[in-house]
Amino acid sequence: MNKWLERLEKLEYHQQLLLKMVRPEGYEFDRLVIEKNLSRDEVEQFYKLCEELSKKREEQKAEGFVFHTPLFREFQQRLHPRLSPEEVIDACIKQRLYVELMNDFKRNIRE
């Protein structure tokens, strides 16, 4: 068992070194996933959350809503605890994920 733990720790260390070597441009959210050690399921939950909130945003937009503060609050509450809204929003915008939604959320941070 101890041998497996040592190998796992070595792999984690090498992963950290590789992250420092790789350019993050274009993969900012993916890099964040690795840095925060999120699982595939946790990332899929994030994508589902963004899909759901994007649909709600479109519905609100069609109804004439300009501010999406309640959606931002929901995003904050449902976001994985190891992630901060600011870092996720910036990473998603840079990686071109849910850009319109994230730009609306970014306005909430500034206010």
Side-chain angles (χ1 to χ4, degrees):
M1 184 67 172
N2 195 22
K3 201 173 199 176
W4 287 107
L5 184 59
E6 287 176 21
R7 289 184 73 184
L8 179 61
E9 288 173 353
K10 184 189 247 182
L11 283 171
E12 288 175 345
Y13 173 67
H14 288 175
Q15 177 185 347
Q16 291 170 353
L17 293 175
L18 286 169
L19 275 176
K20 291 178 184 177
M21 295 168 48
V22 177
R23 293 184 187 202
E25 293 86 22
Y27 299 97
E28 289 83 354
F29 180 74
D30 294 342
R31 183 182 186 101
L32 189 60
V33 166
I34 294 167
E35 287 174 355
K36 300 298 182 174
N37 196 28
L38 299 180
S39 69
R40 180 185 305 261
D41 288 340
E42 291 166 335
V43 174
E44 287 175 5
Q45 288 174 0
F46 171 79
Y47 286 132
K48 286 178 187 177
L49 170 63
C50 289
E51 287 295 325
E52 181 182 324
L53 295 178
S54 291
K55 288 177 186 175
K56 286 182 181 180
R57 179 191 167 274
E58 288 301 316
E59 291 169 4
Q60 289 181 358
K61 192 175 171 185
E63 294 173 5
F65 282 75
V66 178
F67 298 103
H68 302 282
T69 305
L71 285 182
F72 177 67
R73 285 191 191 123
E74 183 176 350
F75 177 72
Q76 285 179 304
Q77 292 169 351
R78 294 177 57 192
L79 191 62
H80 193 283
R82 286 192 296 247
L83 298 172
S84 78
E86 295 85 359
E87 67 185 350
V88 170
I89 291 167
D90 288 339
C92 284
I93 290 171
K94 288 176 183 171
Q95 193 169 323
R96 313 284 307 143
L97 298 170
Y98 305 101
V99 176
E100 291 179 8
L101 180 68
M102 295 301 156
N103 279 328
D104 282 347
F105 289 166
K106 191 167 190 139
R107 285 186 215 111
N108 282 282
I109 292 174
R110 290 187 210 145
E111 296 173 356

